[in-house]
Amino acid sequence: MIRLGKPVQIMEWGQGTNTTNQRWTEIAKGRFASKPKVVNGETTLVIEIEGSLTRNGETGNDYVKLMQQGEGTLPAAGSWGEVAMGTIGSPSNQGGKTVVEVKVKTATKFSN
């Protein structure tokens, strides 16, 4: 479940070719800037990021993983767990802050 009040990490697929040697790297960290919008089953999440978005571009795709502390299937409260996976758009400037949109096509559950 996505917790809108918690910090979020955006992870990008890095080196690796399959599920046994996959490597996800952090490209940004931030907070949700607004409530998610759901249109035709696709959820759009707007994330206000700290600093800049640093993509390595090795894979050439736009898929990212969203992680939150104490969420997902992790037993430890301090660990970061996956809460969603989607495609990322280009960063934009809104009110002097850098924001990025992530579109999630699968069912998404969120809470304050």
Side-chain angles (χ1 to χ4, degrees), residues 6-106:
K6 285 180 134 180
V8 63
Q9 282 183 342
I10 304 173
M11 308 289 279
E12 176 183 52
W13 178 273
Q15 295 174 347
T17 55
N18 58 43
T19 55
T20 58
N21 68 358
Q22 71 181 354
R23 185 175 142 253
W24 291 87
T25 55
E26 181 183 319
I27 59 172
K29 191 183 262 189
R31 293 194 161 280
F32 291 103
S34 62
K35 290 198 175 214
K37 295 177 186 117
V38 181
V39 177
N40 295 329
E42 182 178 74
T43 305
T44 301
L45 302 164
V46 179
I47 301 169
E48 181 183 310
I49 59 174
E50 301 166 0
S52 62
L53 184 70
T54 53
R55 303 205 51 199
N56 62 19
E58 290 176 10
T59 60
N61 67 37
D62 292 328
Y63 287 99
V64 292
K65 199 188 273 197
L66 300 181
M67 311 275 281
Q68 287 188 306
Q69 246 179 343
E71 297 299 324
T73 58
L74 296 173
S79 299
W80 291 81
E82 179 181 342
V83 292
M85 192 166 181
T87 56
I88 191 168
S90 297
S92 63
N93 194 342
Q94 291 182 2
K97 299 183 180 187
T98 305
V99 297
V100 66
E101 285 187 357
V102 176
K103 296 191 182 287
V104 179
K105 293 186 179 188
T106 57

